[in-house]
Amino acid sequence: MATQRFNPHKPTLFFDFDGTLADTIECNFKIFNQLSCLYKHQKITIDQMHEFRELHISEILKRLKIGCIRKLFLVMHARLIMNQYIQTIQPFPGLFEVLLTFREKFNFAVISTNSKTNIEYFMIQHSPFCFNLILGGIGVFSKGHAIKKLMKQEKLQPKTCFYIGDELRDIDLAKFCQIQSIAVSWGCNSKLALLKAKPDHLVESAESLQQVLCLNLDSEFKAVTY
């Protein structure tokens, strides 16, 4: 029998990495344009990057004429290049300080398409505590299935699990897994775009995330924007 990594009596926080824990927006922008010649896609401008904050990733790929297969290769290549930049990537202000105050109250996990090597390096540099689990290198279309499998293995109840992410597809993922979504407005998608997707909760700062997590511990976890 596999060793249990989570306490099933605690609520669980599943985190996206890029744009949620780590401020990789500018870095990913550079990498995407750096790979444009190799993968034959158009470079994006600063103005387009701001425009894309209002769109789902599927719509962005459609506009850029990037198909599923090319997307897979792009993600894999980007992971390797990110290794060159990871030492310069910073966490979003105040986030780990807030999470530390809940260390004994929740299970913590990172579920990401970014590589485990990149995530572990970042966490060693910036996180004041160890997460229960880091799952890196997850396939572009496999994060939801990975979370469902993990919940089953660890005997986690969906009503006690939350997915924290910065993209519209993260809200989709939470719905697929039948867990609550906490959307953060400091990453890829804008506050307005996220609100339209109707997450269970939307936060705009580390402090407002703290309020949401406190409400959960007080058993008053209702959909609200902070």
Side-chain angles (χ1 to χ4, degrees):
M1 181 178 294
T3 302
Q4 197 166 35
R5 294 163 289 193
F6 293 76
N7 182 340
H9 301 295
K10 292 181 180 180
T12 299
L13 302 177
F14 294 110
F15 285 86
D16 174 48
F17 180 70
D18 291 274
T20 300
L21 290 174
D23 187 0
T24 58
I25 307 301
E26 183 177 344
C27 181
N28 284 329
F29 170 74
K30 291 179 180 178
I31 292 173
F32 183 86
N33 283 344
Q34 183 179 334
L35 293 174
S36 62
C37 291
L38 180 61
Y39 290 98
K40 311 299 181 185
H41 61 258
Q42 69 181 74
K43 292 183 179 181
I44 58 176
T45 65
I46 295 294
D47 287 341
Q48 283 179 310
M49 187 169 70
H50 291 307
E51 177 187 349
F52 288 167
R53 293 200 74 214
E54 308 305 320
L55 303 177
H56 195 285
I57 184 62
S58 59
E59 178 61 27
I60 295 172
L61 294 174
K62 182 178 179 181
R63 291 192 181 193
L64 295 174
K65 299 180 180 178
I66 297 175
C68 292
I69 300 301
R70 200 191 315 177
K71 178 185 175 182
L72 291 173
F73 282 104
L74 265 172
V75 169
M76 289 188 290
H77 201 156
R79 287 174 191 161
L80 297 176
I81 297 179
M82 175 66 76
N83 186 256
Q84 302 169 21
Y85 294 97
I86 194 66
Q87 68 272 15
T88 68
I89 301 300
Q90 296 297 311
F92 286 96
L95 184 56
F96 280 114
E97 290 79 359
V98 165
L99 297 181
L100 180 61
T101 65
F102 294 99
R103 180 64 190 95
E104 302 302 322
K105 305 294 185 181
F106 291 89
N107 298 308
F108 289 81
V110 179
I111 313 290
S112 177
T113 57
N114 209 319
S115 75
K116 186 175 182 180
T117 300
N118 289 340
I119 299 169
E120 287 182 337
Y121 180 91
F122 175 88
M123 298 298 277
I124 289 170
Q125 298 302 311
H126 300 291
S127 178
F129 65 94
C130 292
F131 277 36
N132 297 76
L133 179 68
I134 294 174
L135 279 182
I138 301 298
V140 176
F141 306 107
S142 304
K143 290 176 73 172
H145 295 290
I147 290 176
K148 279 190 169 185
K149 181 179 180 181
L150 185 60
M151 289 168 59
K152 183 176 180 180
Q153 289 176 340
E154 300 291 333
K155 299 180 174 59
L156 304 176
Q157 297 299 315
K159 65 181 179 180
T160 67
C161 295
F162 312 94
Y163 192 80
I164 303 175
D166 65 308
E167 294 188 60
L168 298 172
R169 61 176 170 174
D170 295 325
I171 299 171
D172 296 338
L173 183 153
K175 291 176 180 177
F176 173 76
C177 295
Q178 298 182 311
I179 62 180
Q180 291 200 57
S181 56
I182 303 177
V184 303
S185 65
W186 54 72
C188 283
N189 282 122
S190 71
K191 175 183 176 181
L192 180 59
L194 293 168
L195 281 173
K196 287 180 179 178
K198 299 182 179 180
D200 294 293
H201 309 271
L202 188 144
V203 299
E204 299 183 72
S205 65
E207 292 73 21
S208 56
L209 175 61
Q210 184 176 31
Q211 294 177 41
V212 170
L213 298 182
C214 284
L215 284 176
N216 172 57
L217 293 176
D218 291 337
S219 300
E220 297 177 3
F221 212 49
K222 300 175 182 178
V224 65
T225 300
Y226 292 83

Short mmCIF file of all heavy atoms in Angstrom, two decimals, residues 153-177:
data_model
loop_
_atom_site.label_atom_id
_atom_site.label_comp_id
_atom_site.label_asym_id
_atom_site.label_seq_id
_atom_site.Cartn_x
_atom_site.Cartn_y
_atom_site.Cartn_z
N GLN A 153 -6.69 8.21 -4.24
CA GLN A 153 -5.59 7.55 -3.55
C GLN A 153 -5.48 8.01 -2.10
O GLN A 153 -5.22 7.20 -1.20
CB GLN A 153 -4.27 7.82 -4.27
CG GLN A 153 -4.11 7.11 -5.60
CD GLN A 153 -2.82 7.51 -6.30
OE1 GLN A 153 -2.22 8.55 -6.03
NE2 GLN A 153 -2.38 6.66 -7.22
N GLU A 154 -5.67 9.30 -1.89
CA GLU A 154 -5.47 9.88 -0.57
C GLU A 154 -6.75 9.97 0.26
O GLU A 154 -6.74 10.51 1.36
CB GLU A 154 -4.85 11.28 -0.71
CG GLU A 154 -3.51 11.31 -1.42
CD GLU A 154 -2.40 10.66 -0.60
OE1 GLU A 154 -2.51 10.65 0.64
OE2 GLU A 154 -1.42 10.18 -1.22
N LYS A 155 -7.85 9.46 -0.33
CA LYS A 155 -9.14 9.45 0.37
C LYS A 155 -9.58 10.86 0.76
O LYS A 155 -10.05 11.12 1.87
CB LYS A 155 -9.08 8.54 1.61
CG LYS A 155 -8.77 7.08 1.30
CD LYS A 155 -8.74 6.24 2.56
CE LYS A 155 -8.58 4.76 2.25
NZ LYS A 155 -7.35 4.43 1.50
N LEU A 156 -9.45 11.77 -0.19
CA LEU A 156 -9.85 13.17 0.03
C LEU A 156 -11.26 13.38 -0.49
O LEU A 156 -11.59 12.96 -1.59
CB LEU A 156 -8.89 14.10 -0.71
CG LEU A 156 -7.40 13.97 -0.37
CD1 LEU A 156 -6.57 14.90 -1.25
CD2 LEU A 156 -7.13 14.24 1.10
N GLN A 157 -12.07 14.04 0.30
CA GLN A 157 -13.44 14.33 -0.09
C GLN A 157 -13.49 15.59 -0.97
O GLN A 157 -12.88 16.61 -0.61
CB GLN A 157 -14.32 14.53 1.14
CG GLN A 157 -14.43 13.30 2.03
CD GLN A 157 -15.07 12.13 1.28
OE1 GLN A 157 -16.07 12.29 0.58
NE2 GLN A 157 -14.48 10.95 1.43
N PRO A 158 -14.19 15.53 -2.10
CA PRO A 158 -14.25 16.71 -2.98
C PRO A 158 -14.68 17.99 -2.28
O PRO A 158 -14.16 19.07 -2.59
CB PRO A 158 -15.28 16.28 -4.04
CG PRO A 158 -15.17 14.80 -4.08
CD PRO A 158 -14.91 14.38 -2.66
N LYS A 159 -15.60 17.90 -1.33
CA LYS A 159 -16.10 19.11 -0.67
C LYS A 159 -15.04 19.79 0.20
O LYS A 159 -15.22 20.93 0.61
CB LYS A 159 -17.33 18.77 0.17
CG LYS A 159 -17.07 17.84 1.34
CD LYS A 159 -18.35 17.55 2.11
CE LYS A 159 -18.09 16.59 3.28
NZ LYS A 159 -19.33 16.30 4.02
N THR A 160 -13.93 19.07 0.47
CA THR A 160 -12.86 19.65 1.29
C THR A 160 -11.64 20.03 0.46
O THR A 160 -10.59 20.37 1.01
CB THR A 160 -12.42 18.68 2.41
OG1 THR A 160 -11.78 17.53 1.81
CG2 THR A 160 -13.61 18.23 3.24
N CYS A 161 -11.77 19.97 -0.87
CA CYS A 161 -10.64 20.26 -1.76
C CYS A 161 -10.90 21.52 -2.58
O CYS A 161 -12.03 21.77 -3.00
CB CYS A 161 -10.38 19.08 -2.70
SG CYS A 161 -9.85 17.57 -1.86
N PHE A 162 -9.85 22.27 -2.83
CA PHE A 162 -9.95 23.54 -3.54
C PHE A 162 -8.80 23.67 -4.53
O PHE A 162 -7.67 23.28 -4.23
CB PHE A 162 -9.92 24.71 -2.55
CG PHE A 162 -10.86 24.52 -1.40
CD1 PHE A 162 -10.41 23.97 -0.21
CD2 PHE A 162 -12.19 24.84 -1.51
CE1 PHE A 162 -11.28 23.76 0.85
CE2 PHE A 162 -13.07 24.64 -0.46
CZ PHE A 162 -12.62 24.09 0.72
N TYR A 163 -9.12 24.19 -5.71
CA TYR A 163 -8.07 24.42 -6.70
C TYR A 163 -7.86 25.92 -6.85
O TYR A 163 -8.81 26.67 -7.10
CB TYR A 163 -8.43 23.82 -8.06
CG TYR A 163 -7.24 23.81 -9.00
CD1 TYR A 163 -6.27 22.83 -8.91
CD2 TYR A 163 -7.07 24.82 -9.94
CE1 TYR A 163 -5.16 22.83 -9.73
CE2 TYR A 163 -5.96 24.83 -10.77
CZ TYR A 163 -5.01 23.83 -10.67
OH TYR A 163 -3.90 23.84 -11.48
N ILE A 164 -6.61 26.35 -6.70
CA ILE A 164 -6.27 27.76 -6.75
C ILE A 164 -5.46 28.02 -8.02
O ILE A 164 -4.38 27.47 -8.20
CB ILE A 164 -5.46 28.17 -5.50
CG1 ILE A 164 -6.26 27.85 -4.24
CG2 ILE A 164 -5.10 29.65 -5.55
CD1 ILE A 164 -5.52 28.09 -2.94
N GLY A 165 -6.01 28.85 -8.90
CA GLY A 165 -5.34 29.11 -10.17
C GLY A 165 -5.68 30.47 -10.72
O GLY A 165 -6.59 31.16 -10.24
N ASP A 166 -4.95 30.85 -11.77
CA ASP A 166 -5.08 32.20 -12.33
C ASP A 166 -5.74 32.24 -13.70
O ASP A 166 -5.90 33.32 -14.27
CB ASP A 166 -3.69 32.83 -12.44
CG ASP A 166 -2.80 32.09 -13.44
OD1 ASP A 166 -2.67 30.86 -13.31
OD2 ASP A 166 -2.24 32.73 -14.35
N GLU A 167 -6.14 31.07 -14.22
CA GLU A 167 -6.68 31.03 -15.58
C GLU A 167 -8.13 30.52 -15.61
O GLU A 167 -8.58 29.82 -14.69
CB GLU A 167 -5.84 30.12 -16.46
CG GLU A 167 -4.42 30.61 -16.70
CD GLU A 167 -3.71 29.76 -17.73
OE1 GLU A 167 -4.20 29.69 -18.87
OE2 GLU A 167 -2.67 29.16 -17.39
N LEU A 168 -8.81 30.86 -16.69
CA LEU A 168 -10.17 30.37 -16.90
C LEU A 168 -10.21 28.85 -16.92
O LEU A 168 -11.14 28.24 -16.40
CB LEU A 168 -10.73 30.95 -18.20
CG LEU A 168 -10.86 32.47 -18.26
CD1 LEU A 168 -11.24 32.93 -19.66
CD2 LEU A 168 -11.88 32.96 -17.24
N ARG A 169 -9.18 28.24 -17.50
CA ARG A 169 -9.17 26.78 -17.56
C ARG A 169 -9.00 26.15 -16.17
O ARG A 169 -9.36 25.00 -15.97
CB ARG A 169 -8.07 26.29 -18.50
CG ARG A 169 -6.65 26.67 -18.11
CD ARG A 169 -5.66 26.05 -19.06
NE ARG A 169 -4.31 26.59 -18.85
CZ ARG A 169 -3.24 26.12 -19.49
NH1 ARG A 169 -3.36 25.13 -20.35
NH2 ARG A 169 -2.05 26.67 -19.27
N ASP A 170 -8.47 26.91 -15.21
CA ASP A 170 -8.38 26.40 -13.85
C ASP A 170 -9.76 26.30 -13.20
O ASP A 170 -10.02 25.39 -12.41
CB ASP A 170 -7.47 27.31 -13.00
CG ASP A 170 -6.03 27.29 -13.49
OD1 ASP A 170 -5.57 26.22 -13.95
OD2 ASP A 170 -5.37 28.33 -13.40
N ILE A 171 -10.63 27.22 -13.55
CA ILE A 171 -12.02 27.15 -13.07
C ILE A 171 -12.71 25.95 -13.71
O ILE A 171 -13.44 25.20 -13.04
CB ILE A 171 -12.76 28.45 -13.40
CG1 ILE A 171 -12.08 29.64 -12.71
CG2 ILE A 171 -14.23 28.37 -12.96
CD1 ILE A 171 -12.61 30.99 -13.13
N ASP A 172 -12.47 25.73 -15.00
CA ASP A 172 -13.01 24.55 -15.69
C ASP A 172 -12.53 23.28 -15.01
O ASP A 172 -13.30 22.33 -14.82
CB ASP A 172 -12.55 24.53 -17.16
CG ASP A 172 -13.09 25.70 -17.97
OD1 ASP A 172 -14.10 26.29 -17.55
OD2 ASP A 172 -12.50 26.00 -19.02
N LEU A 173 -11.24 23.25 -14.66
CA LEU A 173 -10.65 22.06 -14.03
C LEU A 173 -11.33 21.76 -12.70
O LEU A 173 -11.64 20.60 -12.40
CB LEU A 173 -9.16 22.30 -13.84
CG LEU A 173 -8.30 21.16 -13.26
CD1 LEU A 173 -6.86 21.29 -13.75
CD2 LEU A 173 -8.31 21.17 -11.74
N ALA A 174 -11.54 22.79 -11.90
CA ALA A 174 -12.19 22.59 -10.59
C ALA A 174 -13.59 22.02 -10.76
O ALA A 174 -14.01 21.12 -10.01
CB ALA A 174 -12.23 23.91 -9.82
N LYS A 175 -14.32 22.54 -11.75
CA LYS A 175 -15.66 22.03 -12.00
C LYS A 175 -15.60 20.57 -12.44
O LYS A 175 -16.44 19.75 -12.04
CB LYS A 175 -16.35 22.88 -13.07
CG LYS A 175 -16.69 24.29 -12.58
CD LYS A 175 -17.30 25.14 -13.69
CE LYS A 175 -17.62 26.55 -13.19
NZ LYS A 175 -18.14 27.43 -14.26
N PHE A 176 -14.62 20.23 -13.28
CA PHE A 176 -14.45 18.85 -13.74
C PHE A 176 -14.19 17.91 -12.57
O PHE A 176 -14.71 16.79 -12.53
CB PHE A 176 -13.28 18.78 -14.73
CG PHE A 176 -12.89 17.39 -15.14
CD1 PHE A 176 -13.66 16.69 -16.06
CD2 PHE A 176 -11.75 16.80 -14.61
CE1 PHE A 176 -13.30 15.39 -16.44
CE2 PHE A 176 -11.38 15.51 -14.99
CZ PHE A 176 -12.16 14.80 -15.90
N CYS A 177 -13.41 18.38 -11.61
CA CYS A 177 -13.08 17.56 -10.43
C CYS A 177 -14.13 17.65 -9.33
O CYS A 177 -14.02 16.98 -8.31
CB CYS A 177 -11.72 17.98 -9.87
SG CYS A 177 -10.33 17.70 -10.97
#
